[in-house]
Amino acid sequence: MGELEDRRTAVSEARFESLLDTAADGVIVIDETGRMLVFNKICERLFGYSSAEAIGQNVSLIMPPEFSVSHDRFMNNYHRTGEKRIIGIGREVSGMHRDGSVFPLELSVGEAKTADGRQYIGVLRDLRSRRAVEQRVSQLQAQVVHMTRLSAMDEMGAAMAHELNQPLTALLLYLQAVARQIKTCFADNKPPSDKMLGVLDKAVQEAERASHIVQRMRQMVEKRDPERATIDLREVVNEALDLSEFVAQGATVTIRRVFGMTPIHVDADATQIQQIILNLLRNALEVAKESEERWVKVSIGADDRSAFVSVTDSGPGFSEDVSKSLFKTFSTTKKSGMGLGLAISRAIAQNHGGDLMADPGGNGQGATFTLMLPMHHLDETEDDTWG
Amino acid sequence: MYIIVEDDPSVADALESLLSGAGLPVRVFASAEEFIHSSSLTSEDTMIVDLGLPGMSGGELVRHLEKAGATPKVIAISGKSSRTIARETEGLSDLKILRKPPAADWLEAITA
């Protein structure tokens, strides 16, 4: 009887072993204390330890130090409260190879109640190849953004030429005036007057006005790698609005800015955020231009977790059908083809851990597009004042 | 009298500097409306008007003056494309056009 049972157990164990070793994913079993009981072939390859080396050791062996410290705490917490943070859920974690390199893993955890106490089965999938694809996609995204920015530049080119015309005209006229006066002075054998210096000062101011315009345009055009920095959303949006007033010039649409007094810090690529704002603004201005009241409202706000920028126009809003297809990449519900712009904008927002949402409005209400970004949180090191 | 109607304060001021520096009498107005409400023209005057004024445009101002029977010498200035200028000045006779930014000495062009 006992022998038969032993044999059955042996057979099922052999089956289990072979199952583990043919599995395409890493499989680890740990006990309640975090000790590894099973460490399959894939795991050997992933982490660089043989199963003989790994079995019996704490699972923190294959975690980066910052995770291994909290792992014991998580397990204790679960044993005490029964609150599931990962079991049956699965999430992305980091693993550490024997050589110290850290890599992304997808981890799903199951729980088994055995005679020897609770055991946890972890299934691990290497995310490095998926990560490479994601990186490629975000590179492409950056390129597409760059391209759309350039075509927006084309449109702005004419507007900018007009904007530069004014300071250049004033500058040249001031210089013509001074040149004439100096010639007259020479002819009359008189010294140049203070008045001429005053005119030259004005000429310098106009030259500065022109170069300021060029500088701002250059900032928008230059291709930069996505740079994350802690930025004040109000400043970044303000700059984009200033820029778009070149485009709006002549069209009598009022841009209302509803900004608070306190800085709103987010971690983001300022140029990409401006690209989103410009896109939303361009659409809104186009709609507002055809409306009776002709305004676009841009408001910025925040709660503890998220910051948001809302762009509302005085137009009639979207029909339900249109609002459904708004974010589809190539939807051409509108002559300007804003589908692509919105889809890219949303992709950028999501890349930043945020989102782009549309309230279609209607019934006398204009549409509102809201860009949401996670707030910057001071981490502990920044927070420390050290008395 | 030289009348300048130009909404960009820098351009207006620079033009005034150029003309008054040469000893010419100048008056500056920021819009067509401001000019109409406060002044009138004689045939001795020269008006320098920006075509792209907000509100009543430069072209409309010239048309308005022609209707009122005043036919001063008019010089239009504009930073827009030649096609836009042609459209904005359609039907206006005897109009000298100076394009922004200046490619030559404007004082000579204005007083010629």
Side-chain angles (χ1 to χ4, degrees):
Chain A
M1 209 39 198
E3 240 174 73
L4 187 66
E5 190 124 319
D6 280 356
R7 246 184 73 202
R8 272 194 193 142
T9 311
V11 167
S12 99
E13 259 177 21
R15 231 185 251 147
F16 181 58
E17 293 276 323
S18 107
L19 180 70
L20 282 180
D21 287 342
T22 47
D25 293 330
V27 179
I28 289 173
V29 179
I30 61 172
D31 67 13
E32 270 176 325
T33 66
R35 217 158 50 96
M36 290 188 277
L37 307 173
V38 169
F39 194 82
N40 77 342
K41 278 236 159 60
I42 296 289
C43 284
E44 292 183 336
R45 227 172 40 224
L46 280 177
F47 297 104
Y49 298 98
S50 71
S51 75
E53 286 172 307
I55 285 171
Q57 297 232 45
N58 192 288
V59 70
S60 63
L61 178 72
I62 55 164
M63 297 176 184
E66 65 267 29
F67 284 92
S68 60
V69 176
S70 35
H71 188 255
D72 282 341
R73 198 156 42 91
F74 287 146
M75 282 188 52
N76 284 333
N77 197 47
Y78 173 61
H79 293 151
R80 214 177 50 245
T81 65
E83 187 193 341
K84 293 180 178 174
R85 294 280 180 84
I86 188 163
I87 293 166
I89 301 166
R91 66 165 64 143
E92 197 180 316
V93 296
S94 298
M96 191 174 76
H97 190 270
R98 184 175 209 157
D99 65 13
S101 60
V102 174
F103 58 95
L105 285 167
E106 189 179 270
L107 169 67
S108 21
V109 179
E111 183 181 7
K113 293 200 170 77
T114 72
D116 298 337
R118 281 195 254 210
Q119 294 185 355
Y120 303 99
I121 299 108
V123 178
L124 304 159
R125 184 164 294 174
D126 191 350
L127 285 181
R128 273 171 292 193
S129 59
R130 193 193 292 178
R131 195 48 74 71
V133 170
E134 280 170 4
Q135 242 162 28
R136 176 92 190 103
V137 168
S138 78
Q139 270 169 13
L140 281 174
Q141 236 169 39
Q143 274 173 25
V144 171
V145 166
H146 178 57
M147 275 155 50
T148 47
R149 192 181 303 152
L150 283 185
S151 71
M153 283 303 112
D154 283 347
E155 284 172 33
M156 271 186 221
M160 187 184 143
H162 177 83
E163 201 64 24
L164 279 172
N165 252 338
Q166 306 291 11
L168 282 178
T169 300
L171 168 62
L172 285 164
L173 293 177
Y174 281 131
L175 291 177
Q176 288 179 5
V178 174
R180 281 185 173 276
Q181 286 168 29
I182 289 176
K183 269 183 211 151
T184 315
C185 285
F186 275 128
D188 299 352
N189 233 341
K190 278 191 297 191
S193 69
D194 283 358
K195 235 174 116 189
M196 294 179 206
L197 280 178
V199 176
L200 276 180
D201 274 344
K202 287 180 185 172
V204 169
Q205 276 169 30
E206 292 307 305
E208 280 168 356
R209 182 174 150 202
S211 71
H212 188 64
I213 293 169
V214 173
Q215 274 164 18
R216 277 200 291 182
M217 295 304 286
R218 188 192 292 143
Q219 279 170 10
M220 295 301 293
V221 178
E222 270 174 4
K223 185 173 177 174
R224 287 186 295 180
D225 292 329
E227 282 176 52
R228 291 282 173 94
T230 306
I231 52 172
D232 183 353
L233 200 54
R234 298 174 314 154
E235 269 175 39
V236 168
V237 171
N238 233 339
E239 209 180 305
L241 294 186
D242 286 348
L243 193 81
S244 74
E245 286 190 333
F246 293 165
V247 182
Q249 53 97 12
T252 49
V253 176
T254 314
I255 299 180
R256 297 183 192 156
R257 305 179 192 206
V258 186
F259 294 8
M261 296 299 286
T262 45
I264 295 176
H265 289 122
V266 296
D267 294 319
D269 182 325
T271 309
Q272 293 195 338
I273 298 308
Q274 287 180 333
Q275 183 59 29
I276 297 180
I277 300 301
L278 282 176
N279 226 311
L280 296 180
L281 212 61
R282 233 171 70 196
N283 293 339
L285 286 171
E286 215 166 304
V287 174
K289 214 166 60 188
E290 310 289 290
S291 73
E292 212 184 315
E293 294 179 36
R294 292 165 161 261
W295 53 260
V296 169
K297 188 177 76 184
V298 179
S299 44
I300 300 184
D303 55 32
D304 343 351
R305 295 178 57 210
S306 323
F308 65 84
V309 185
S310 291
V311 179
T312 308
D313 60 62
S314 57
F318 295 108
S319 74
E320 211 177 298
D321 280 350
V322 171
S323 62
K324 264 184 214 154
S325 62
L326 223 42
F327 287 99
K328 288 198 180 128
T329 311
F330 291 106
S331 92
T332 48
T333 50
K334 217 163 145 278
K335 9 177 192 162
S336 57
M338 69 177 170
L340 184 58
L342 279 182
I344 292 171
S345 297
R346 176 176 259 184
I348 296 173
Q350 290 173 346
N351 236 5
H352 281 83
D355 208 343
L356 181 63
M357 293 150 301
D359 173 352
N363 290 329
Q365 286 277 31
T368 299
F369 287 89
T370 300
L371 166 67
M372 198 199 67
L373 292 169
M375 285 290 271
H376 168 74
H377 282 288
L378 295 174
D379 57 41
E380 279 151 48
T381 49
E382 276 182 73
D383 218 359
D384 267 341
T385 48
W386 297 101
Chain B
M1 178 72 73
Y2 288 82
I3 313 287
I4 298 168
V5 190
E6 162 70 65
D7 64 304
D8 186 296
S10 297
V11 173
D13 184 63
L15 205 46
E16 187 186 6
S17 296
L18 182 65
L19 295 174
S20 62
L24 301 170
V26 182
R27 289 192 67 185
V28 177
F29 300 91
S31 70
E33 290 85 348
E34 193 190 314
F35 167 75
I36 289 171
H37 286 306
S38 63
S39 194
S40 58
L41 286 170
T42 70
S43 54
E44 307 291 298
D45 295 330
T46 298
M47 187 170 74
I48 302 140
V49 58
D50 185 2
L51 286 178
L53 293 171
M56 183 190 253
S57 76
E60 286 166 26
L61 174 61
V62 177
R63 245 170 244 125
H64 171 87
L65 292 173
E66 282 188 351
K67 245 188 241 165
T71 47
K73 185 177 162 196
V74 176
I75 295 163
I77 55 178
S78 176
K80 296 195 178 146
S81 69
S82 48
R83 194 183 305 171
T84 310
I85 293 174
R87 199 179 56 235
E88 286 176 348
T89 58
E90 211 180 326
L92 296 176
S93 55
D94 198 26
L95 197 62
K96 186 169 198 169
I97 290 164
L98 295 177
R99 298 185 63 179
K100 296 181 196 174
D105 191 309
W106 271 17
L107 184 65
E108 277 171 23
I110 290 168
T111 54

